[in-house]
Amino acid sequence: MRLLTFRGGVHPPEKKELSEHRELTKAPLPELVYVFLANHTGVPAKPLVDVGEKVLTGQKIGEAAGFISANIHSPITGVVKEISKVYHPVLGKPDNAIIIERRGEDSWQLLEPQKPYEEFEPQEIIERIKEAGIVGLGGAMFPTSVKLTPPKEKKIDLLIINGAECEPYLTVDYRLMLEKSEKLIRGIQALMKALGVKKAIIGIENNKPKAIAELKKASKGTGIEIASLKTKYPQGAEKQLIYAITKRVVPSGGLPMDVGVVVQNVGTAFAVYEALEEGKPLVERAVSITGEAVREPVNVIARIGTLASELIKLAGGIKEDEVDRVIFGGPMMGIAVPRIDIPIVKGTSGITVMPKEITPSKEVYPCIRCGSCFMACPMNLQPFSLNLYATNRLYDRAVENGLMDCIECGSCSYACPANIDLVKNIKLAKKVYRTLKGGKK
Ligand code: SF4
Ligand code: SF4
């Protein structure tokens, strides 16, 4: 059978075997949590609590401050200790966080009512998702309620659930599909109801046959289909996923809704189930703590705002002689962090502790015009040209050649035999161009 896929891409070592067999377990409650006001894409939340105030687990502590923004909730029961700047793993600089110290039992303030998704109206589902502070848990952290509210003229006929988990090392979506299949299916059905679509397809790479079998069983009679995808990076990128499953092409500068599709991640669908039927705001998530340089990789459900250093302890700690770098996320699209006392955010799907020997040689050579980066680019761009324009500050030329279509997947850098960090230069050029244009594309 020909497997569904897309043009380009790369196949880095999967490394799933390190943690895929580890069941999800609850991480111990942290003594302190650091909840960023910017726990999502868009405008940071506005704090609703003061220093010294007592808070319950699940209590709203920050309110969405714009259309593209999200609520934040206390991940533990305790007292607000401080509101100050803490190093943010995505922004790469200190940013405002509410610091909460744990006190007493874990007492929850749940969202009411809790009932089967069938009893919610579509708009009520979207409202609950918004109230619960749910954002894209695949890493993008885009507010889910916004994605579920496309403009009237955009007709959506398909929901795609991203179960590809194409990033090497990470195995939390796999474990969710395996262990929480029935709840996950109900979350997907709720999303279908919210969008008013009759069809949903879960895309899963074919290196997860057990998850495919489990979800086929759990989705029987629901109309939800399972699509087996070729294992190739970045299979889980939205545009590549949509193309692989439907052959619809999202236009340059466009969004999935332009081709009638909304994409949600497996973890997000599970969070939707929990918000509706169990009344839980998004205060915890599944995280893989993995990599050859931790002693015993694990998959845990951790409270948002827990320090990575606490979670790494659950994986037996770092092998100090072997570690090269610690990455929030996986090695392809994740972000290397300068230290480990950094809190996880809603989009942190993994902490990957990379060993020295498989970190590619850092010696950089001149471009040999081999074309490997072009062959690897899933967006059909010419990364070597973009890199040239970027490093020579020819931003308009770069944009004419598709700079803003780059999905920052890193396939070009991975494929480059000269070790040129193309994606780093391209990302920087995008940032500079946006700044020059006053934040617009
Ligand atoms: S140019 Fe962008 S989209 Fe293309 S491979 Fe490089 S990072 Fe990925
Ligand atoms: S892969 Fe590297 S060496 Fe080859 S063309 Fe691209 S930038 Fe040049």
Side-chain angles (χ1 to χ4, degrees), residues 152-181:
K152 289 260 176 306
E153 66 276 14
K154 304 284 177 192
K155 294 285 169 242
I156 306 298
D157 65 356
L158 176 64
L159 169 67
I160 292 182
I161 298 296
N162 187 355
E165 203 167 44
C166 62
E167 187 53 82
Y169 288 87
L170 307 184
T171 56
V172 279
D173 287 349
Y174 173 66
R175 292 310 313 182
L176 279 175
M177 290 189 279
L178 221 50
E179 296 178 39
K180 314 276 184 194
S181 57

Side-chain angles (χ1 to χ4, degrees), residues 33-100:
V33 286
Y34 305 76
V35 188
F36 290 106
L37 300 179
N39 239 297
H40 46 266
T41 302
V43 186
K46 188 169 130 274
L48 295 175
V49 288
D50 290 318
V51 173
E53 208 170 312
K54 286 185 184 157
V55 289
L56 296 173
T57 307
Q59 182 179 330
K60 187 155 76 173
I61 55 172
E63 189 152 47
F67 179 59
I68 302 183
S69 183
N71 294 336
I72 51 172
H73 302 79
S74 178
I76 55 173
T77 302
V79 174
V80 177
K81 191 169 176 261
E82 229 179 291
I83 300 178
S84 59
K85 290 202 188 291
V86 175
Y87 187 91
H88 193 297
V90 179
L91 301 176
K93 59 177 186 176
D95 204 48
N96 293 322
I98 300 176
I99 304 171
I100 301 166

Side-chain angles (χ1 to χ4, degrees), residues 365-376 382-385 387 411-422:
Y365 302 96
C367 171
I368 53 168
R369 295 261 160 192
C370 66
S372 300
C373 53
F374 168 68
M375 296 304 288
Q382 299 203 344
F384 51 87
S385 304
N387 182 58
S411 297
C412 49
S413 298
Y414 181 82
C416 178
N419 293 330
I420 301 170
D421 199 348
L422 298 144

Side-chain angles (χ1 to χ4, degrees), residues 6-12 165-168 205 230-237 240 331-334 376 378 407-412 414:
F6 60 94
R7 177 221 177 265
V10 290
H11 193 163
E165 203 167 44
C166 62
E167 187 53 82
E205 284 190 339
K230 186 171 178 180
T231 300
K232 187 169 69 163
Y233 177 85
Q235 185 65 82
Q240 284 60 39
M332 296 300 288
M333 284 191 93
I407 57 168
E408 303 178 10
C409 67
S411 297
C412 49
Y414 181 82

